[in-house]
């Protein structure tokens, strides 16, 4: 099982991180180790040696069949369900790596950094590219977005990634985070929603 993730896929998030509205020339793809997966409502244990750790709320899609070099017009056949996930990011570490021109996988792929909610079959929705999702922390909405605002749409991402990686059943794709990222603290309670469905909840310890 492979975990793919997309960076800088919402304009306003790019502005909050880099101070400018821009679209990357191509999708920014990175991967997480399978040990990053955090599921079934298990708690996220906040590392005490990584500095600030931010939540990044994202729509996640589940790959349902084998595929390589998938044409964009057929990409919708290769995923069957969606949910909300959290791409936890060690922000201080990431910024240090970027300043040094180094890869920043360590700030993204550490154990427990890929929280995942309950799957909802994509047929339950009229259009997965027009879904609203949000994250509540301790009962307060802290981040919200709509998949219609993605710079690179889901089908584009699947087609692009499959040029380099063979997609397999069970692979996951975190599709990018909108604006509103922020730090988590011990004892926070996180809840992720797609439209009016709560699909994710867990505690930070």
């Amino acid at each position: 099982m492979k975990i793919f993730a997309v960076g800088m896929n919402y304009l306003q998030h790019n502005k909050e991180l880099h101070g400018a509205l821009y679209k990357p020339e191509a999708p920014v793809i990175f991967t997480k180790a399978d040990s990053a997966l955090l599921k079934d409502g298990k708690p996220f244990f906040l590392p005490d040696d990584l500095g600030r750790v931010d939540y990044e709320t994202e729509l996640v899609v589940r790959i349902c069949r084998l595929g390589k070099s998938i044409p964009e017009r057929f990409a919708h056949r290769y995923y069957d369900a969606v949910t909300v996930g959290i791409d936890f990011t060690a922000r201080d570490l990431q910024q240090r790596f970027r300043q040094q021109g180094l890869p920043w996988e360590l700030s993204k792929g550490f154990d427990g950094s890929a929280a995942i909610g309950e799957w909802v079959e994509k047929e339950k929705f009229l259009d997965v590219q027009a879904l609203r999702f949000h994250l509540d922390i301790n009962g307060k909405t802290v981040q919200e977005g709509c998949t219609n605002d993605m710079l690179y749409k889901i089908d584009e991402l699947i087609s692009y990634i499959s040029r380099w990686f063979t997609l397999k059943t069970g692979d996951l794709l975190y599709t990018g985070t909108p604006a509103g990222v922020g730090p988590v603290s011990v004892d926070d309670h996180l809840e992720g929603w797609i439209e009016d469905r709560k699909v994710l909840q867990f505690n930070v310890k």
Side-chain angles (χ1 to χ4, degrees), residues 8-168:
M8 296 177 284
N9 203 28
Y10 287 81
L11 276 178
Q12 293 299 327
H13 174 61
N14 296 346
K15 183 177 181 179
E16 75 178 349
L17 284 187
H18 305 292
L21 297 171
Y22 70 97
K23 179 178 180 177
E25 293 182 4
V28 177
I29 306 298
F30 60 96
T31 60
K32 288 174 176 273
D34 57 4
S35 59
L37 197 63
L38 182 70
K39 58 184 181 179
D40 301 326
K42 293 180 179 177
F44 172 67
F45 289 94
L46 189 64
D48 57 9
D49 59 345
L50 295 183
R52 169 173 164 163
V53 175
D54 282 0
Y55 58 81
E56 296 190 7
T57 312
E58 314 196 3
L59 188 88
V60 186
V61 301
R62 182 177 68 190
I63 301 301
C64 64
R65 60 192 296 186
L66 185 72
K68 173 69 175 175
S69 299
I70 302 165
E72 185 180 329
R73 67 183 182 277
F74 297 137
H76 66 279
R77 301 177 181 176
Y78 287 81
Y79 64 100
D80 62 353
V82 300
T83 190
V84 166
I86 307 293
D87 167 23
F88 282 113
T89 304
R91 191 69 69 198
D92 295 338
L93 192 62
Q94 184 189 45
Q95 291 175 348
R96 186 162 73 247
F97 286 152
R98 279 179 165 166
Q99 290 170 357
Q100 298 172 352
L102 299 173
W104 35 269
E105 256 75 8
L106 292 180
S107 68
K108 288 281 195 177
F110 56 91
D111 287 356
S113 63
I116 194 79
E118 298 174 1
W119 294 105
V120 182
E121 294 179 2
K122 69 176 184 179
E123 285 76 15
K124 299 287 186 181
F125 304 105
L126 291 176
D127 183 1
V128 295
Q129 209 60 73
L131 291 178
R132 296 193 174 276
F133 59 97
H134 68 273
L135 174 70
D136 293 353
I137 297 183
N138 304 326
K140 178 182 178 182
T141 299
V142 296
Q143 189 179 21
E144 51 191 334
C146 180
T147 57
N148 190 50
D149 295 328
M150 289 179 182
L151 297 175
Y152 291 99
K153 308 304 185 185
I154 296 170
D155 290 355
E156 293 178 89
L157 295 171
I158 289 175
S159 178
Y160 181 81
I161 291 170
S162 72
R163 291 165 56 186
W164 284 274
F165 298 91
T166 297
L167 298 180
K168 297 183 178 182

